[in-house]
Amino acid sequence: MQQATHPAAESATTDGPIALDLSLPVEGMTCASCVNRVERFLRRTDGVVEANVNLATEQAHVRFDPTLVGRSELVHAVEAAGYGVRQPATAAESGALEVEADTFADERAREMRGLALRAVVSLTAGLAMMALMFWPVALMPMAQLNLLFVLPGTFIQFWAGAGFYRAAWRAARHRSANMSTLVVLGTTAAWGYSTVVAFFPHAVMGTGIHPVTYYESAAIIIGLVLAGRWLEARAKAQTAGAVRRLVGLQAKTARVVRGATELDVPIEQVEPGDLLRVRPGEKVPVDGRITDGGSTLDESMLTGESMPVAKGVGDEVYGATVNTSGTFLFRATRVGRETVLAQIVRLVQQAQGSRAPIQRVADMVTGWFVPVVMVVALATLAVWLSFGPEPRLTFALITFVSVLIIACPCAMGLATPTAIMVGTGKGAEAGVLIRGGEALEQAHKVDAIVFDKTGTLTTGKPAVARVVPVEGTAVDEVLRVAAAVEVGSEHPLAGAIVEQARRRGLDLPAASDFESAAGHGVHARLAGELAVVGNSRLMDDHAIDTQPLRPAFESAAGEGQSLVFVALGSRLLGLVAVSDAPRPGAAAAVASLRQQGIDVWLLTGDDRRVAESVARQVGIEPANVIAEVLPADKQAHIERLQAAGRRVAMVGDGINDAPALAQADLGVAIGTGTDVAIEASDVTLIGGDPRLVATAIDLSRRTMRTIRQNLFWAFAYNILLIPVAMGALYPAFGILLDPVFAAGAMAFSSVSVLANSLRLRGFRPVTARSASG
């Protein structure tokens, strides 16, 4: 996968050395006990800060101190645990996203073909031997049949089962055991017993045992386990489909303009600063900014938003989006691994490789599960040999093999990571980037969601609705003074005022001594006079009487408009009303969250009447509106809700709201384009549609429900069937579990967990359900 072939990514910390993150593609893992062993060896390596291994992706994600340990030492640790590490392909160093994601695709395809071939040959040989044994008319005496079965039985045991022996030997060299150990012990016992019966039938008959071989059982067991692994590999490939679909969105070539020449080049040859042309129907190859022309672009593949977006000179465009109409030129700004698409792929891969806290239960059990199973199997063998009915050895062998085969903890190891892979992949397709398993698990516990107003529930693109001057003052004078001061501010309301002044062609005087009063407004000097632009509290601080405009203020506030007073010196000049309309999906988002039983709050620094007006429009109760809050105080309001026992999610723009996002149990950042990697948030909504908040919560709940189902069936399977394999039903019902059925049940348990996880692929985001409903 991508990160295995890159230089490790840096993550700086303020209280320690730089830590590097690296992903290693691990070979040979088959069950949860393998995962635990690799993690244990990595974590005890000097310099390793954290190590997480994912069975579904076959990746080890390691954070380490590069001054103490390097990649070679980490590879050595994995090999010391008894497993291998795939070597990166040199082609992947080119930086092409598609090459990175598909580095090991061919190798995995070959492995799957090998599994399928060995499974088919083993099952065919096993079933053929079984048919000959039970043919109505005996073709030859049993002793001759047993000798006939020696060659195919031995071939299947050591050709088809060679992978099990290699894996079991690697584990044994390091005084460990895994699923392959169980398979090898069980089938070798059946093969060894059968070989003794085939060559020394009279010696066996002398003990009172009927000389029956189990070559066909060993062959079918190996075939069923291999078939189960093939089904697992196929299902794993389906769970990773989201990343492949994202990578497949990338254009293969780009049209670079060099002077009067236009040249089609491979995507990996595009460099920042190149001028590129995009024609109707083509994909934008990389990220950049339009320099000439314009069009509408379909950005649904990145944002989940179905409506095309109009773009003109100066607007940003993103790689993999589709140009629907006009032709335009743009200057490349981010290419290769720096594009928005690459960031999304990277975040999805990190999320799919992460683990949820709920997985600790499975990890704790599987750490000692295989050794305990081996002890149980040996105890079962001893009990049946000592107290079982005749032929005791036959009964003992059947139960011993059945216990070893049926107790494989594969399903436990796959229960959590496969659901996380599918869940985070579906989220990415809908425009919801979930940072990892911990965030996914935390989201389903949320019972209160706090929305910031500007840019979150509203469009974040305010426009001047009206200008109300005091008597004797012109509208243009109010705008001129307000814009001259606000030109130094980055607040959205300031941008709307400056834009309106420029539209009217006003000349703005130079401002000096600009100063911002957080949450209240701004002031600066114009030709030596102090100009103040802000709310009534700021006006009071400067002893400016706002009473002449109070009627206009009350009227505009009742309509939900944001209001700023404008004063020059000690004179009130006027009032500017700015409107910021609610986002189209805001009301649907609030309604959907309330249907899920979640309490919705609005937290804003705006005037209370403005906030309550927006709340009414989107369906938030007035009692849940917290207004006139300074940015620094938002975190305290989140803490108050948490102190009341609420699990709180904060939804904001990821920058001004960073302290509140970090304080919340779940931080959700509304972001587009370059905001996809906002560090303060656990979840990022690429398209900015507030309905995606409901999608994230709904997806989290369904994913956690799937994980619980998987873990329940994985544990219940072993709890119920191991006693059956031991022969617990024989005294009362005369029932013994045949090793062949044990192998089939073991394979079925893993495949059922994978199939249950894949059901999440049918998840429909709230935005899609809203559109169809």
Side-chain angles (χ1 to χ4, degrees):
M1 297 292 284
Q2 173 183 347
Q3 291 171 315
T5 58
H6 301 319
E10 295 186 5
S11 71
T13 60
T14 57
D15 55 354
I18 290 177
L20 299 186
D21 292 316
L22 181 69
S23 289
L24 298 172
V26 182
E27 292 182 304
M29 294 190 300
T30 55
C31 63
S33 62
C34 302
V35 169
N36 291 329
R37 182 170 178 81
V38 175
E39 283 183 350
R40 191 166 64 250
F41 273 70
L42 284 170
R43 286 171 179 167
R44 73 187 190 192
T45 303
D46 289 340
V48 172
V49 179
E50 183 181 0
N52 289 307
V53 178
N54 189 307
L55 180 62
T57 59
E58 298 177 345
Q59 297 271 318
H61 299 272
V62 189
R63 174 165 288 190
F64 61 97
D65 181 350
T67 63
L68 298 176
V69 67
R71 188 182 191 278
S72 59
E73 289 83 5
L74 298 175
V75 171
H76 178 71
V78 174
E79 292 173 344
Y83 302 88
V85 176
R86 291 185 176 92
Q87 292 302 313
T90 55
E93 299 298 333
S94 66
L97 186 60
E98 183 172 16
V99 174
E100 295 167 1
D102 291 341
T103 301
F104 304 113
D106 292 341
E107 185 176 344
R108 288 197 178 96
R110 284 195 299 273
E111 289 177 2
M112 288 180 64
R113 287 195 295 270
L115 285 171
L117 174 64
R118 292 195 297 274
V120 168
V121 172
S122 300
L123 290 172
T124 301
L127 292 172
M129 286 187 282
M130 185 177 291
L132 289 173
M133 288 179 62
F134 295 103
W135 198 259
V137 180
L139 299 179
M140 60 183 70
M142 182 59 71
Q144 294 182 25
L145 269 180
N146 291 341
L147 286 172
L148 180 66
F149 292 162
V150 169
L151 183 59
T154 303
F155 173 73
I156 294 300
Q157 185 69 32
F158 297 102
W159 170 73
F164 299 119
Y165 280 96
R166 285 193 294 268
W169 172 244
R170 284 198 301 265
R173 280 169 47 205
H174 300 287
R175 297 182 297 279
S176 182
N178 55 25
M179 173 210 165
S180 295
T181 306
L182 303 181
V183 174
V184 164
L185 287 175
T187 58
T188 302
W191 173 84
Y193 171 78
S194 300
T195 302
V196 171
V197 169
F199 287 107
F200 306 103
H202 298 294
V204 173
M205 291 174 65
T207 64
I209 299 174
H210 191 63
V212 177
T213 59
Y214 291 95
Y215 287 120
E216 80 291 344
S217 294
I220 292 175
I221 288 169
I222 289 173
L224 286 172
V225 175
L226 289 171
R229 287 195 176 177
W230 177 82
L231 288 170
E232 286 179 16
R234 186 168 178 268
K236 286 178 186 177
Q238 290 178 320
T239 63
V243 171
R244 285 199 305 274
R245 283 191 290 274
L246 286 170
V247 170
L249 296 174
Q250 182 181 238
K252 303 297 186 292
T253 61
R255 184 171 291 105
V256 180
V257 179
R258 291 174 181 156
T261 305
E262 296 186 7
L263 181 66
D264 286 342
V265 300
I267 188 73
E268 56 267 24
Q269 294 182 14
V270 178
E271 298 180 358
D274 282 348
L275 189 64
L276 299 99
R277 183 182 297 279
V278 182
R279 294 173 179 168
E282 294 180 340
K283 289 183 178 180
V284 178
V286 296
D287 296 0
R289 195 174 294 276
I290 295 177
T291 59
D292 183 57
S295 182
T296 55
L297 274 72
D298 178 1
E299 297 184 341
S300 60
M301 62 288 300
L302 296 183
T303 67
E305 175 55 55
S306 59
M307 294 297 295
V309 180
K311 300 280 184 175
V313 174
D315 288 335
E316 279 197 294
V317 292
Y318 307 109
T321 57
V322 178
N323 180 23
T324 62
S325 54
T327 298
F328 61 88
L329 293 173
F330 77 98
R331 186 77 62 182
T333 56
R334 293 182 297 272
V335 303
R337 301 173 190 138
E338 303 305 317
T339 63
V340 168
L341 178 64
Q343 290 182 55
I344 293 173
V345 169
R346 189 157 53 247
L347 284 172
V348 172
Q349 287 178 324
Q350 289 171 357
Q352 291 187 336
S354 66
R355 70 173 51 198
I358 195 174
Q359 191 172 344
R360 292 175 191 145
V361 178
D363 293 344
M364 185 172 60
V365 172
T366 54
W368 48 262
F369 189 80
V370 171
V372 167
V373 166
M374 293 175 64
V375 171
V376 169
L378 290 171
T380 301
L381 179 68
V383 168
W384 280 95
L385 284 174
S386 302
F387 305 106
E390 296 295 344
R392 292 182 181 180
L393 182 59
T394 299
F395 280 99
L397 181 65
I398 289 173
T399 53
F400 175 72
V401 174
S402 294
V403 169
L404 290 174
I405 296 300
I406 206 166
C408 168
C410 286
M412 295 182 197
L414 293 169
T416 300
T418 53
I420 289 176
M421 284 183 69
V422 180
T424 54
K426 287 301 294 183
E429 291 176 10
V432 178
L433 295 185
I434 301 170
R435 189 167 296 279
E438 188 168 353
L440 190 68
E441 182 171 341
Q442 190 65 40
H444 93 286
K445 301 175 183 176
V446 166
D447 58 13
I449 289 185
V450 179
F451 282 95
D452 177 47
K453 183 180 76 68
T454 305
T456 303
L457 285 179
T458 62
T459 61
K461 297 178 181 178
V464 173
R466 64 174 122 170
V467 178
V468 184
V470 297
E471 190 174 350
T473 303
V475 169
D476 284 356
E477 176 64 9
V478 177
L479 268 179
R480 189 181 68 85
V481 171
V485 177
E486 294 281 23
V487 76
S489 172
E490 295 181 355
H491 194 280
L493 298 184
I497 293 171
V498 173
E499 177 65 22
Q500 182 68 8
R502 286 176 176 162
R503 283 181 184 171
R504 297 175 72 98
L506 302 179
D507 292 328
L508 305 183
S512 61
D513 300 332
F514 175 86
E515 191 173 331
S516 173
H520 299 309
V522 294
H523 53 82
R525 291 199 173 273
L526 304 180
E529 277 195 287
L530 182 66
V532 184
V533 181
N535 61 17
S536 55
R537 191 178 303 175
L538 186 63
M539 295 295 143
D540 291 341
D541 291 342
H542 288 82
I544 296 170
D545 183 15
T546 59
Q547 285 302 318
L549 293 179
R550 274 294 158 184
F553 179 91
E554 301 291 344
S555 173
E559 296 174 9
Q561 296 171 347
S562 297
L563 306 162
V564 291
F565 291 102
V566 182
L568 184 62
S570 59
R571 294 184 303 115
L572 181 67
L573 298 182
L575 177 72
V576 179
V578 179
S579 62
D580 185 10
R583 288 182 181 269
V590 172
S592 180
L593 290 168
R594 294 180 68 174
Q595 286 174 2
Q596 294 182 41
I598 296 174
D599 205 14
V600 183
W601 294 70
L602 178 63
L603 181 64
T604 179
D606 269 353
D607 180 85
R608 169 161 292 278
R609 280 164 295 192
V610 175
E612 289 181 349
S613 174
V614 172
R616 278 196 305 273
Q617 294 178 67
V618 300
I620 297 176
E621 297 175 1
N624 284 10
V625 175
I626 306 172
E628 301 176 8
V629 178
L630 297 178
D633 295 336
K634 289 185 176 181
Q635 180 179 355
H637 286 282
I638 300 296
E639 289 175 340
R640 273 196 282 276
L641 284 172
Q642 291 172 325
R646 311 302 295 272
R647 295 292 183 93
V648 183
M650 172 68 191
V651 187
D653 63 11
I655 301 170
N656 297 330
D657 301 312
L661 286 167
Q663 176 63 42
D665 298 288
L666 184 76
V668 181
I670 294 275
T672 56
T674 56
D675 295 327
V676 296
I678 294 172
E679 290 299 327
S681 65
D682 303 302
V683 177
T684 301
L685 312 180
I686 309 174
D689 188 336
R691 289 176 295 176
L692 293 176
V693 178
T695 294
I697 301 298
D698 191 15
L699 179 61
S700 167
R701 291 181 174 181
R702 296 195 188 195
T703 303
M704 292 308 301
R705 185 162 64 242
T706 299
I707 289 173
R708 290 194 187 97
Q709 291 168 351
N710 287 349
L711 288 174
F712 171 80
W713 287 113
F715 284 119
Y717 159 83
N718 283 288
I719 291 170
L720 292 174
L721 292 186
I722 287 179
V724 174
M726 293 170 65
L729 298 180
Y730 186 81
F733 304 101
I735 297 175
L736 277 184
L737 184 65
D738 190 284
V740 169
F741 292 110
M746 183 268 288
F748 175 77
S749 70
S750 297
V751 173
S752 63
V753 162
L754 285 160
N756 192 44
S757 295
L758 287 171
R759 289 194 309 121
L760 284 169
R761 294 171 69 187
F763 172 81
R764 294 182 66 209
V766 170
T767 49
R769 296 201 296 270
S770 299
S772 62

